[in-house]
Amino acid sequence: MEHLDWQTHRREAHALGKTQEFLKQIVYGGNDGIVTTFAIVAGFAGASADGVAQIGGVAVLVFGLANLFADAVSMGLGEFLSARSQHDLYRARRQAELREIARNPEQERMELFEILRQRGLPAGEADTATAILSRHPQIMADLMMTYEFGMQDPDEENPALNGLFTFMSFVIFGSIPLVPYFLFEPTQETFYMSIGTTLSALIGLGLLRFSATRERITRSVGETVLVGTICAIVAFIVGWLVGG
């Protein structure tokens, strides 16, 4: 009997696309990219008493792009290492749980019984299910990992793809606040345009989140814009305080 390919099944039967599959990495990388790059722009603007024109568009672009790609690489590799570490931790913890099942089966059966009871099974059914599952340590260990330790099996996740999506999202969304400085002279109006493009990028990221989750659009967009706005304001104030 062939094993069902669950990733293919989710994509075909439940219309789970790449956006949903990598939503965490896209939102995480995109939000950080927008905020990090705009922090450079806002920091320069805040540090200049007469606006960004005194600093020069080249400086904004050089520092902005340098930070954009350096942080994108750091974020992508960080996501990769984080996923790898999660894989290692899950496997180590699961092996320890299998040893506990073999060494102290009665205690583990009692824990599984309590888990099933807390999940809503009546005592009789929980006892029957526990007796059946106790004869299958691998399945029992999987359940214990999920409900006792709150850890999901990460084997279907690809750390390299997680890192790649984080990197790409960081670069794509993070480049948007710099667009006005590629097109126009570095005036105060250019800075205002950068604020507008940054806001547009945050709204776009929120809409992408909404399209994937179908949560309330006000929540999806509002939370994304609020978090980005707070970070941008902090960056501007720090630049203003330091630059005086």
Side-chain angles (χ1 to χ4, degrees), residues 220-243:
S220 296
V221 176
E223 286 182 349
T224 306
V225 172
L226 178 62
V227 170
T229 300
I230 291 172
C231 295
I233 290 173
V234 169
F236 184 86
I237 291 174
V238 170
W240 178 73
L241 290 174
V242 172

Side-chain angles (χ1 to χ4, degrees), residues 99-217:
R99 288 193 295 271
E100 283 297 314
I101 292 172
R103 183 166 52 238
N104 196 354
E106 205 54 48
Q107 174 65 28
E108 295 299 312
R109 278 196 291 268
M110 186 172 61
E111 291 177 5
L112 180 59
F113 173 80
E114 286 301 319
I115 287 171
L116 295 175
R117 286 273 290 138
Q118 290 173 9
R119 301 296 295 179
L121 283 183
E125 294 181 12
D127 187 57
T128 301
T130 300
I132 294 171
L133 291 169
S134 296
R135 297 197 293 269
H136 305 276
Q138 297 289 337
I139 299 175
M140 186 176 175
D142 289 338
L143 289 171
M144 301 297 279
M145 290 299 296
T146 299
Y147 297 116
E148 182 180 5
F149 297 101
M151 299 176 69
Q152 300 296 323
D153 187 353
D155 279 349
E156 291 188 1
E157 291 188 3
N158 187 319
L161 279 179
N162 286 357
L164 179 61
F165 269 84
T166 302
F167 171 83
M168 291 174 59
S169 181
F170 194 104
V171 170
I172 292 170
F173 283 97
S175 62
I176 294 175
L178 294 175
V179 169
Y181 291 93
F182 282 105
L183 302 176
F184 304 103
E185 292 295 319
T187 64
Q188 192 69 28
E189 286 70 28
T190 309
F191 174 59
Y192 294 146
M193 283 189 281
S194 181
I195 294 176
T197 57
T198 299
L199 181 61
S200 299
L202 289 169
I203 292 173
L205 187 61
L207 290 173
L208 185 64
R209 177 183 166 190
F210 165 73
S211 71
T213 64
R214 292 301 171 183
E215 289 285 343
R216 295 195 314 273
I217 191 169

Side-chain angles (χ1 to χ4, degrees), residues 73-99:
V73 171
S74 175
M75 288 279 292
L77 291 177
E79 178 65 27
F80 170 76
L81 291 175
S82 174
R84 286 289 294 269
S85 299
Q86 188 65 24
H87 282 217
D88 294 342
L89 176 61
Y90 183 91
R91 284 193 290 267
R93 183 61 261 175
R94 189 175 183 277
Q95 287 300 317
E97 185 64 21
L98 285 169
R99 288 193 295 271

